[in-house]
Amino acid sequence: MKRITIIATFVIANTLMATTTTSRASLNLLLRRSPPKLRNAKFFSSSYSQFRPSTLRKSYPCPVWSSSFSFCLPPRSTSTSPLPFRHFSSSPPSMSSAVSASVSDDSLLASNPLLLDFDFPPFDSVDANHVRPGIRALLQHLESELEQLERSVEPSWPKLVEPLEKLVDRLSVVWGVINHLKAVKDTPELRAAIEDVQPEKVKFQLKLGQSKPIYNAFKAIRDSPDWSSLSEARQRLVEAQIKEAVLTGIALDDEKREEFNKIEQELEKLSHKFSENVLDATKKFEKLITDKKEMDGLPPSALGLFAQAAVSKGHENATAENGPWVITLDAPSYLPVMQHAKNRALREELYRAYLSRASSGDLDNTAIIDQILKLRLEKAKLLGYNNYAEVSMAMKMATVEKAAELLEKLRSASWGPSVQDMEDLKSFAKSQGAGESGSLTHWDTTFWSERLRESKYDINEEELRPYFSLPKVMDGLFSLAKTLFGVDIEPADGVAPVWNSDVRFYRVKDSSGSPIAYFYFDPYSRPSEKRGGAWMGEVFSRSRVMAQKGTSVRLPVAHMVCNQTPPVGDKPSLMTFREVETVFHEFGHALQHMLTKQDEGLVAGIRNVEWDAVELPSQFMENWCYHRDTLMSIAKHYQTGETLPEEVYQKLLAARTFRAGSFSLRQLKFASLDLELHTKYIPGGPESIYDVDQRISVKTQVIPPLPEDRFLCGFSHIFAGGYAAGYYSYKWAEVLSADAFSAFEDAGLDDIKAVQETGQRFRNTVLALGGGKAPLKVFVEFRGREPSPEPLLRHNGLLATSASA
């Protein structure tokens, strides 16, 4: 779901600021509600902080779950003639005619796919050569439109919000196309072209975000006698515009505003460079192995993947059985080694390589991190805040204090179980005669955890793969969506151009059979061109303003991107259970984008939803992976059709809390480190970023990090994504999602009617209301009360520990 952020004044403008991983904007909670007398509900009480900026993602990366530092482990030619589905084009005049007429009559410009009026983005025909001329022509046209809007703007919806949304939507869509391609089909030429035009794009965004006529018009709407008659969604939208304008520097004097703008430009460059260094460092590492003894313990699926990688590197005769094999730091390659390789030296080598990504030579991110933190602090000071965490938290549900309070509560509940987890691991390794049992370290824990899990629950993750083929998993996921939310999902391949032959395209229909959304799904890892991780991204938002003539609304379109194990030979993609959870997770994000009922484009779907609430639907969907009927519907052996045995399901259920304390503590370490770096760390001060990491680890890691630990150099979530001073959001949203799922437990998971009724209530609130209502209000409307951490602790088997901590 991510991951580069520039703050813009206006929510609509904020979608432009997005790279492949982010967009900006949202609104502080303005609730005046006394929290019910529920245990720990205080974490979620609304606050009345001053105007401060927020972050809203265009795409969402999964959290850093595993102990291996992995992420969420993420044709036809374009025609200018009308397609059967005309729901997505901008309203007349078309982008192609307007831009071409105002900028150039050159035939090359006129045929640039980025400037054509399209129903779906021309992902299959855009290349690096189109970026510079296309973006510059578009920006020139939009500059003219902005000047015209500033001259004619009035404090009304038709004269302010609607033309603003139309103006910005063009750049949002086009920039989204090239940024998406950079994430999934990266080339040096595309990267260079984007870097060249990015400063010009940011300059335009800042000009838009700091437009005094637009800002004054929004203030006039808020101060008008008609304010109380506006819908809640429109009021939230207007409040967000005003607050974001202030926080984009509109109130700064000319000298400070110029300094602010320079900081924004530089932060954008640095974040991009950070991300590129991580990608290049990941791609740079390759280990060729020819001795089969070194591969002892690795499952056939991994050996097949490694042999396939070897073939792609020129070893034409490589086979899974006899090699040679090529191992990379891409998650589907790296994780099996850490989990299954008996060769301890190989595990250590890969661990150290992963840990040190982008920390040396030309790809060293150390100085970039320091400069990012320095500039973020300077920006916060310019805006009148003590630190960047205050800036980040401003329009989230939490405050710095409440986030820290929740993290500490969860940390205290997780520490004891984490210590016990390590003792259990040592005892088990010793019982197996492992020489390293008395000194287990980082490259041992994943391996021995897998062995202990297999022993304790008699579950071998690799042996489960044949039961989780991608086609069956998707069928089961779509069936669940129909049960819970009353929607049908069907293949629509060929309707829209795609960027890779593996990409699928789907149509979402409501109970009447009418299309309500579409989405792309790009499931497989492609290390040579595709960024790691998993994310959901916005292609088009639902919008009344952007509706094609003859339709009432433009339908939303999303893309889901994963990095799971690709098919090998004749076998379909056989997934690990974690990959199954990842697909459910990203689909949860997509559902919130696609099932929104908000017609105001600036608050539809994921837009304007407070950052620490956006993970609610995604983490909520993960819970269904453990629901018996759901799991049994997807767990069919790809060859025999046999359903997963009942006893195996029961073991999976029992194993759900296996090492839950350790996994929780790991996430809390990242969240605590993130907060510390953005609150108390002083760039250029006596402590280095690595000193801070070591200090935070004392209370959040049972095994201290290595002195040479450079994980921060690959921590894209906070340095090349939208989670700066916001990584805590994963835990915050886990509380929300666990409590939301507990509503289904209360209703009775075996009662299909009750599940459907509760699912419809979830759809009509959490999924439908988008950013048009404060998330705490939305949650209370669904759940009937404010959220409690207890369901999360119960699901993780930590409730009793918490009570005694």
Side-chain angles (χ1 to χ4, degrees):
M1 87 166 42
K2 97 339 352 47
R3 327 171 196 43
I4 318 304
T5 50
I6 297 277
I7 297 178
T9 299
F10 304 102
V11 173
I12 184 71
N14 290 334
T15 61
L16 302 184
M17 313 298 282
T19 68
T20 304
T21 58
T22 59
S23 69
R24 312 277 307 179
S26 133
L27 175 62
N28 193 22
L29 289 177
L30 299 174
L31 302 181
R32 297 179 179 271
R33 150 191 321 275
S34 300
K37 294 182 180 179
L38 293 169
R39 184 179 179 188
N40 299 313
K42 60 182 178 179
F43 292 123
F44 297 90
S45 300
S46 0
S47 59
Y48 299 91
S49 55
Q50 312 102 314
F51 291 171
R52 293 173 277 177
S54 72
T55 317
L56 178 63
R57 303 199 51 83
K58 177 169 180 139
S59 304
Y60 303 89
C62 295
V64 188
W65 288 111
S66 81
S67 58
S68 304
F69 301 124
S70 72
F71 281 167
C72 217
L73 319 162
R76 64 187 191 99
S77 62
T78 304
S79 170
T80 58
S81 60
L83 292 173
F85 304 95
R86 299 287 303 177
H87 303 290
F88 309 106
S89 300
S90 303
S91 53
S94 74
M95 190 184 302
S96 57
S97 59
V99 174
S100 296
S102 64
V103 178
S104 173
D105 293 325
D106 185 273
S107 61
L108 291 177
L109 188 61
S111 62
N112 189 314
L114 291 174
L115 302 180
L116 297 176
D117 185 15
F118 45 74
D119 300 271
F120 298 97
F123 288 119
D124 60 343
S125 58
V126 173
D127 62 36
N129 294 325
H130 299 125
V131 172
R132 293 180 182 89
I135 294 298
R136 284 171 176 153
L138 181 58
L139 287 174
Q140 184 177 337
H141 175 71
L142 295 179
E143 286 269 6
S144 175
E145 285 199 347
L146 176 57
E147 291 171 4
Q148 181 179 345
L149 175 59
E150 289 181 324
R151 287 193 299 268
S152 61
V153 67
E154 295 177 13
S156 70
W157 227 253
K159 293 289 188 177
L160 170 61
V161 180
E162 292 179 6
L164 182 63
E165 182 177 349
K166 291 176 182 178
L167 184 158
V168 180
D169 190 81
R170 297 179 183 179
L171 184 54
S172 174
V173 170
V174 172
W175 190 259
V177 169
I178 62 174
N179 248 336
H180 178 66
L181 288 174
K182 181 174 180 287
V184 298
K185 200 173 182 179
D186 186 40
T187 66
E189 294 78 16
L190 180 61
R191 184 182 295 186
I194 292 175
E195 287 178 352
D196 281 354
V197 296
Q198 185 170 294
E200 298 164 48
K201 176 190 72 88
V202 175
K203 182 179 179 181
F204 172 76
Q205 292 164 350
L206 289 168
K207 182 177 180 179
L208 175 63
Q210 295 170 354
S211 169
K212 288 287 183 70
I214 294 176
Y215 169 65
N216 289 332
F218 273 115
K219 286 204 301 181
I221 289 178
R222 187 188 61 183
D223 297 338
S224 74
D226 298 329
W227 173 250
S228 60
S229 66
L230 291 182
S231 67
E232 183 176 9
R234 288 192 170 189
Q235 287 187 354
R236 266 178 63 87
L237 190 157
V238 171
E239 291 283 6
Q241 317 312 311
I242 295 170
K243 294 179 180 183
E244 291 279 0
V246 171
L247 295 161
T248 306
I250 201 167
L252 298 175
D253 61 39
D254 291 345
E255 183 178 344
K256 288 185 176 180
R257 188 162 60 250
E258 183 178 353
E259 182 182 355
F260 180 93
N261 292 349
K262 287 179 180 178
I263 289 173
E264 294 289 71
Q265 288 274 14
E266 186 63 18
L267 281 173
E268 183 88 349
K269 291 178 186 176
L270 290 168
S271 293
H272 272 283
K273 184 60 177 174
F274 183 101
S275 182
E276 290 168 0
N277 284 351
V278 174
L279 176 61
D280 291 345
T282 302
K283 293 189 331 188
K284 185 177 180 180
F285 180 91
E286 292 177 5
K287 183 170 180 63
L288 177 66
I289 296 179
T290 58
D291 185 352
K292 192 168 186 176
K293 292 180 181 178
E294 293 190 47
M295 309 299 282
D296 191 19
L298 284 159
S301 61
L303 294 175
L305 184 66
F306 301 159
Q308 193 167 281
V311 170
S312 71
K313 300 298 180 181
H315 302 276
E316 297 178 0
N317 298 320
T319 66
E321 295 76 21
N322 301 311
W325 304 273
V326 169
I327 299 173
T328 71
L329 296 181
D330 196 53
S333 180
Y334 174 77
L335 285 176
V337 174
M338 303 309 294
Q339 288 177 314
H340 301 293
K342 294 181 180 179
N343 185 341
R344 192 185 188 211
L346 177 62
R347 299 199 309 265
E348 179 180 357
E349 180 181 356
L350 258 71
Y351 177 85
R352 289 183 180 275
Y354 197 98
L355 197 70
S356 60
R357 286 183 310 159
S359 66
S360 62
D362 294 340
L363 302 178
D364 191 352
N365 273 337
T366 304
I368 291 176
I369 293 173
D370 272 325
Q371 186 65 5
I372 287 173
L373 292 172
K374 177 176 178 291
L375 291 176
R376 285 174 178 170
L377 180 59
E378 289 178 4
K379 184 168 75 170
K381 297 287 188 181
L382 278 174
L383 294 173
Y385 297 98
N386 296 313
N387 53 60
Y388 186 77
E390 291 183 359
V391 171
S392 175
M393 296 281 187
M395 294 161 70
K396 295 181 171 68
M397 291 180 72
T399 63
V400 175
E401 295 74 23
K402 288 182 183 296
E405 185 181 353
L406 179 61
L407 292 179
E408 175 55 28
K409 175 178 179 60
L410 297 178
R411 189 205 67 82
S412 66
S414 303
W415 180 260
S418 299
V419 172
Q420 186 58 53
D421 286 345
M422 185 53 60
E423 292 304 313
D424 292 345
L425 220 54
K426 290 178 180 178
S427 298
F428 178 75
K430 184 176 181 180
S431 73
Q432 301 301 300
E436 67 267 26
S437 61
S439 57
L440 291 185
T441 190
H442 302 282
W443 47 87
D444 299 318
T445 54
T446 303
F447 175 81
W448 285 109
S449 293
E450 188 65 15
R451 304 291 79 74
L452 176 57
R453 189 171 68 89
E454 292 170 355
S455 172
K456 190 171 183 179
Y457 302 104
D458 193 22
I459 295 176
N460 183 307
E461 190 171 74
E462 287 302 313
E463 292 178 359
L464 292 179
R465 278 186 187 265
Y467 288 96
F468 296 118
S469 66
L470 178 63
K472 288 302 297 181
V473 170
M474 299 308 290
D475 287 346
L477 178 57
F478 296 162
S479 177
L480 175 65
K482 181 176 178 62
T483 298
L484 294 179
F485 310 125
V487 296
D488 287 295
I489 299 170
E490 62 184 22
D493 297 310
V495 171
V498 295
W499 52 93
N500 185 280
S501 59
D502 290 330
V503 176
R504 300 295 309 277
F505 191 66
Y506 293 95
R507 179 186 296 111
V508 183
K509 299 192 298 185
D510 62 17
S511 57
S512 71
S514 301
I516 56 173
Y518 295 83
F519 70 97
Y520 304 81
F521 180 41
D522 184 355
Y524 308 130
S525 169
R526 297 189 297 275
S528 63
E529 64 177 11
K530 184 178 177 182
R531 179 166 54 80
W535 65 94
M536 167 266 163
E538 173 188 296
V539 180
F540 296 115
S541 67
R542 181 180 173 94
S543 172
R544 172 186 56 82
V545 170
M546 301 309 300
Q548 179 70 10
K549 188 175 181 180
T551 64
S552 60
V553 68
R554 181 180 68 178
L555 301 184
V557 181
H559 54 66
M560 281 171 54
V561 182
C562 294
N563 267 279
Q564 64 195 49
T565 307
V568 177
D570 296 333
K571 295 180 181 179
S573 175
L574 300 178
M575 305 166 68
T576 65
F577 189 65
R578 170 53 64 188
E579 288 173 338
V580 173
E581 290 180 296
T582 297
V583 170
F584 274 62
H585 179 105
E586 299 309 329
F587 191 62
H589 284 309
L591 285 171
Q592 187 172 35
H593 176 66
M594 296 188 296
L595 300 190
T596 183
K597 292 183 180 178
Q598 289 286 0
D599 290 340
E600 294 293 340
L602 309 189
V603 293
I606 59 177
R607 292 183 176 186
N608 205 45
V609 177
E610 278 75 352
W611 190 284
D612 39 11
V614 295
E615 292 293 336
L616 192 169
S618 57
Q619 293 177 349
F620 163 81
M621 287 300 294
E622 287 186 48
N623 287 282
W624 293 99
C625 294
Y626 295 91
H627 177 233
R628 187 188 182 284
D629 290 348
T630 300
L631 186 65
M632 292 307 190
S633 74
I634 67 177
K636 308 285 186 182
H637 196 284
Y638 80 101
Q639 290 176 316
T640 67
E642 175 193 1
T643 301
L644 187 75
E646 176 68 24
E647 61 268 23
V648 177
Y649 165 67
Q650 293 299 334
K651 291 172 183 176
L652 268 176
L653 204 60
R656 185 179 185 181
T657 58
F658 177 63
R659 293 178 58 79
S662 296
F663 284 117
S664 175
L665 194 64
R666 179 169 178 74
Q667 290 299 98
L668 294 167
K669 181 263 175 75
F670 297 140
S672 301
L673 178 58
D674 171 36
L675 273 187
E676 187 75 8
L677 288 173
H678 289 101
T679 52
K680 300 176 183 177
Y681 174 67
I682 302 173
E687 270 191 318
S688 72
I689 54 174
Y690 306 120
D691 292 334
V692 176
D693 189 356
Q694 295 284 336
R695 174 164 55 79
I696 293 297
S697 297
V698 171
K699 295 182 69 176
T700 55
Q701 279 192 227
V702 177
I703 301 179
L706 300 175
E708 61 271 29
D709 188 317
R710 294 296 180 267
F711 165 72
L712 280 170
C713 288
F715 200 0
S716 298
H717 283 71
I718 68 171
F719 297 119
Y723 281 87
Y727 199 89
Y728 80 92
S729 298
Y730 283 113
K731 281 299 178 188
W732 190 275
E734 271 189 72
V735 171
L736 298 174
S737 63
D739 201 352
F741 187 74
S742 71
F744 290 81
E745 295 174 322
D746 293 347
L749 290 172
D750 296 327
D751 185 337
I752 185 64
K753 184 179 180 181
V755 166
Q756 289 174 331
E757 290 175 351
T758 309
Q760 280 300 311
R761 194 167 75 249
F762 188 87
R763 177 183 175 180
N764 293 334
T765 53
V766 176
L767 300 181
L769 296 177
K773 179 172 284 194
L776 184 57
K777 281 187 176 180
V778 173
F779 186 92
V780 170
E781 189 171 327
F782 166 67
R783 196 69 179 93
R785 58 166 174 75
E786 293 195 359
S788 164
E790 292 185 12
L792 175 63
L793 294 173
R794 174 169 53 81
H795 289 168
N796 288 343
L798 301 174
L799 188 57
T801 306
S802 175
S804 60

